[in-house]
Amino acid sequence: MFIILVVGAGSAGAAPPPPGQDPFYRYDGATPLVQVAPGTVLKTRTSSLHVLSIPTPISAVQLLYRSTGQRGQATTNVTSVLLPPLRVGAPKVVSYQSFYDSLNPDDEPSYTISGGGLSLGGAIPQLESGLVQPLLLSGYAVAIPDTEGQQADFAAGPEYGYNTLDGLRAAYNSPAVGLNATSRAGLIGYSGGAIATEWAAELAPKYAPDVDRDLVGAAMGGVLVDPAHNLHYVDGSSLWAGVMPMAIIGVSRAFDIDLTPYLSAKGVDIYNKLQKATISQVLGAYPGLTWAELAKPEYSVPESVPLYVHAVNQMIMGTGGTPTTPLFIAQGAGGTLEGTPGDKPGIGPGDGVMIAGDVRTLARDYCGRGVKVQYTQYDALSHIGTAAPWLATAMPWLTGRFAGIAASQNCAAIPAGNGLDPIPEG
């Protein structure tokens, strides 16, 4: 056993420029990016964790690294690795995936962590800094990747997974972080963070086997399993309907497609208005908004838009591989508390934005493939309300995996859910 004291750095001063103006975020190497291996560290800087733009004693190592976009293209991304004030035993790392859910690149966790300006979207990573403090105080390094990438590709699940896995690769590759070949890693995230956590877990065996062998577990809650289902679920809802145009924008960016020819005049107006929107801005802002209002009459259902169908079929969880690490999954089902009816045919109850039946089907599917899954459903809680009990259970579950405690599973007790078949194309 060894003990390392890490002293925080950084001092109050001028805020850094936003990512679009900060040269740290740009790759300027001589080697073509496509020839650089995913997870390679391209730039390193060390500052301190900022909360409300005020530096704290926690050191933050920020890494620009090579990753992969939704279309398989070479990209760059940033992760921020918070170093514990006191390390006890072998170094270990938890990758915490933020639920910043924004179409604005300036809302990336890396920007707020480094002292960037405050915004509605940026306030979420500020809040989450308190959620990871117990891990830091327990001696874990905490990696917080910009899961949506530098374009802010909202809801593009596989890309979230690539960014998460390559962020961990970069953390292992960086001498400034202090991990080694025996360091174990865990994944945790809620809502938008669950998108990244789940996709990282299922993509790891094939995309990043070097990371996969170090994983002890993945904990997630409020899970977006099948985006096409979720669009129908929130359609016309009072609180969450604004997520629909946000998802249209995110899918368009991630897949480099233009969906505006299918939108109505109202749809185009909202599409243009929300180009840099955050989830905080759309919640409750479009009560009762429907797909039929967003689209032209001849595209009254989203399944009639071929480009959309081809894209969302690639974002159904469980289609990218099978996790080898144990999973903790929690899901609320009291979505009526947040204004989303639970009686839509083929969908059933959810938490207001995520669908419980879809999550159960994913869990049961993984169980059938031999994955150890511990599933919990909060029937009386909505999406926002589920976050607290999920975190209170997920954190000790994950630290138990680091402690070498065998993961439990309750596969036989998980009720049946919804079908998750891709939408027919052609």
Side-chain angles (χ1 to χ4, degrees), residues 137-219:
L137 294 175
S138 297
Y140 294 84
V142 178
I144 305 177
D146 294 345
T147 52
E148 296 181 5
Q150 295 199 41
Q151 288 191 132
D153 291 338
F154 174 71
E159 182 176 331
Y160 282 30
Y162 298 140
N163 287 329
T164 299
L165 292 169
D166 288 326
L168 273 173
R169 278 173 160 160
Y172 274 91
N173 289 333
S174 170
V177 174
L179 302 178
N180 57 48
T182 65
S183 298
R184 307 309 302 275
L187 301 166
I188 189 168
Y190 187 81
S191 190
I195 297 174
T197 299
E198 196 287 333
W199 275 103
E202 74 168 84
L203 291 172
K206 292 183 179 179
Y207 178 77
D210 50 324
V211 173
D212 190 59
R213 64 171 176 258
D214 293 322
L215 291 179
V216 299

Side-chain angles (χ1 to χ4, degrees), residues 19 22-27 45 64 76 78 108 110-111 150:
D22 189 341
F24 177 77
Y25 288 79
R26 295 194 295 272
Y27 174 61
R45 68 182 180 189
L64 178 74
T76 60
V78 172
E108 293 174 339
S110 62
Y111 182 46
Q150 295 199 41

Side-chain angles (χ1 to χ4, degrees), residues 14-264:
Q21 302 173 27
D22 189 341
F24 177 77
Y25 288 79
R26 295 194 295 272
Y27 174 61
D28 48 19
T31 304
L33 190 61
V34 71
Q35 297 178 18
V36 178
T40 298
V41 177
L42 306 173
K43 291 181 182 178
T44 303
R45 68 182 180 189
T46 301
S47 179
S48 60
L49 167 65
H50 287 68
V51 178
L52 300 177
S53 297
I54 300 171
T56 73
I58 299 297
S59 292
V61 177
Q62 294 196 314
L63 307 171
L64 178 74
Y65 60 93
R66 181 352 191 139
S67 192
T68 302
Q70 182 63 50
R71 304 183 309 281
Q73 76 276 26
T75 62
T76 60
N77 200 48
V78 172
T79 188
S80 305
V81 186
L82 310 182
L83 303 182
L86 185 69
R87 275 184 176 162
V88 180
K92 49 192 181 294
V93 59
V94 170
S95 186
Y96 176 86
Q97 286 61 252
S98 169
F99 51 86
Y100 64 107
D101 296 339
S102 177
L103 290 164
N104 188 347
D106 290 352
D107 291 337
E108 293 174 339
S110 62
Y111 182 46
T112 55
I113 285 170
S114 63
L118 298 179
S119 65
L120 280 173
I124 291 174
Q126 301 284 359
L127 166 69
E128 291 176 301
S129 64
L131 304 182
V132 302
Q133 284 183 10
L135 291 169
L136 292 167
L137 294 175
S138 297
Y140 294 84
V142 178
I144 305 177
D146 294 345
T147 52
E148 296 181 5
Q150 295 199 41
Q151 288 191 132
D153 291 338
F154 174 71
E159 182 176 331
Y160 282 30
Y162 298 140
N163 287 329
T164 299
L165 292 169
D166 288 326
L168 273 173
R169 278 173 160 160
Y172 274 91
N173 289 333
S174 170
V177 174
L179 302 178
N180 57 48
T182 65
S183 298
R184 307 309 302 275
L187 301 166
I188 189 168
Y190 187 81
S191 190
I195 297 174
T197 299
E198 196 287 333
W199 275 103
E202 74 168 84
L203 291 172
K206 292 183 179 179
Y207 178 77
D210 50 324
V211 173
D212 190 59
R213 64 171 176 258
D214 293 322
L215 291 179
V216 299
M220 66 202 76
V223 188
L224 176 64
V225 175
D226 187 331
H229 285 186
N230 286 77
L231 190 148
H232 284 287
Y233 177 52
V234 302
D235 186 84
S237 63
S238 59
L239 185 66
W240 289 99
V243 171
M244 286 192 297
M246 281 190 69
I248 292 171
I249 295 168
V251 168
S252 298
R253 285 183 189 172
F255 288 88
D256 193 24
I257 57 177
D258 184 9
L259 294 176
T260 56
Y262 305 96
L263 301 180
S264 65

Side-chain angles (χ1 to χ4, degrees), residues 372-397:
K372 288 187 175 181
V373 179
Q374 182 70 36
Y375 176 78
T376 300
Q377 185 166 304
Y378 301 101
D379 290 328
L381 296 179
S382 62
H383 190 72
I384 296 170
T386 295
W390 166 81
L391 184 67
T393 309
M395 282 290 193
W397 180 90

